[in-house]
Amino acid sequence: SVGLSEDEHRSITRRSITRAKFQELIGEQVPAVAEQVHYYRIVMDIGDELDVMQIKARDALRGLPEAEQTAEAFKEIVREFSRDEPETVRLGGDQGWIPRGTDFPYEGTVFGLEIGVLSEPITDQDNPRNVLFFMVSEVADAKELDPKDRQQLKERALQDWINDQRKNHEVFAEFNSEVYDWIIKQLKGTGLPTPTPTRTMFEIPGA
């Protein structure tokens, strides 16, 4: 249905299987336990009373000796101020445990927090009008990884290995008229709009 010959299909499938096997091989180096933190989140709009929330949160969290008490105090603040998804607000902003080394964009912030300390405001990378606050209730130096987290770490390990190997090899992709013609041929069988070629499509750098 995609216009591939049997040999082309076998070649693509073979590469896919090889990648999966190699990912498992590299992934065996990923331990079953890792440093993790149990963190919570508040989402607010830049026009909200950020100062009021920060004062109330810091007062509520001050001097609490137990992780459970810290979590419960923070949940009340979340339910009062957070604009997060309704289910997340209902759960008090609980984001669960996260290991170090994933693609979480705020990893440096949450792993740098002391237990029960509200983070400084951080601009939401997905929505600049939102401001994020984080709080960590528990820290574990070696906690068993959730299967999905371990899988993500395996994928990260493979990508890191590939990036390291690229330093020793020349890797390039060529987009010329022959490749363009092949793409057009594939698109004609899908009903998708055909792109209009431009001069820059086939320009050679430095020519």
Side-chain angles (χ1 to χ4, degrees):
S1 63
V2 296
L4 294 175
S5 68
E6 182 177 346
D7 287 343
E8 289 172 329
H9 180 265
R10 287 181 178 276
S11 177
I12 292 172
T13 303
R14 187 179 300 110
R15 289 197 296 269
S16 177
I17 293 173
T18 300
R19 179 185 174 87
K21 288 182 176 179
F22 196 71
Q23 179 176 305
E24 281 301 311
L25 178 64
I26 296 294
E28 289 178 1
Q29 303 171 23
V30 176
V33 297
E35 178 188 2
Q36 299 187 54
V37 295
H38 188 177
Y39 77 106
Y40 295 74
R41 178 179 75 185
I42 289 179
V43 179
M44 298 181 72
D45 185 87
I46 56 176
D48 291 339
E49 297 179 325
L50 305 182
D51 291 343
V52 174
M53 186 282 295
Q54 291 178 84
I55 292 171
K56 293 189 72 170
R58 286 164 181 159
D59 286 345
L61 295 169
R62 186 176 294 116
L64 296 177
E66 302 293 337
E68 185 176 342
Q69 291 176 305
T70 300
E72 289 305 316
F74 193 74
K75 286 178 180 180
E76 293 302 317
I77 301 298
V78 170
R79 290 164 185 152
E80 181 178 353
F81 291 97
S82 187
R83 293 177 177 266
D84 215 327
E85 297 293 331
E87 180 62 13
T88 303
V89 173
R90 187 185 70 80
L91 294 173
D94 190 350
Q95 301 294 295
W97 289 88
I98 184 171
R100 188 185 290 278
T102 64
D103 294 326
F104 181 52
Y106 310 105
E107 178 181 290
T109 297
V110 298
F111 277 91
L113 286 173
E114 294 182 17
I115 292 175
V117 175
L118 185 71
S119 76
E120 293 299 317
I122 300 171
T123 301
D124 186 346
Q125 294 186 12
D126 295 325
N127 183 353
R129 280 201 59 84
N130 285 344
V131 179
L132 306 178
F133 294 87
F134 298 99
M135 190 279 296
V136 169
S137 65
E138 298 175 83
V139 175
D141 292 331
K143 176 179 170 59
E144 184 175 357
L145 287 165
D146 183 273
K148 65 178 180 60
D149 289 331
R150 189 158 190 254
Q151 180 61 31
Q152 185 176 356
L153 291 176
K154 286 182 178 182
E155 293 170 1
R156 178 74 174 270
L158 174 61
Q159 190 59 54
D160 289 344
W161 183 88
I162 291 173
N163 292 339
D164 186 62
Q165 292 301 308
R166 280 180 175 152
K167 300 174 186 177
N168 304 319
H169 303 276
E170 291 186 7
V171 181
F172 65 92
E174 183 179 7
F175 187 74
N176 53 30
S177 57
E178 182 179 350
V179 176
Y180 177 77
D181 289 341
W182 181 87
I183 292 174
I184 297 303
K185 179 182 177 182
Q186 306 309 309
L187 288 175
K188 285 181 178 178
T190 65
L192 295 173
T194 302
T196 301
T198 63
R199 181 174 181 270
T200 57
M201 275 187 172
F202 309 119
E203 282 185 347
I204 299 175

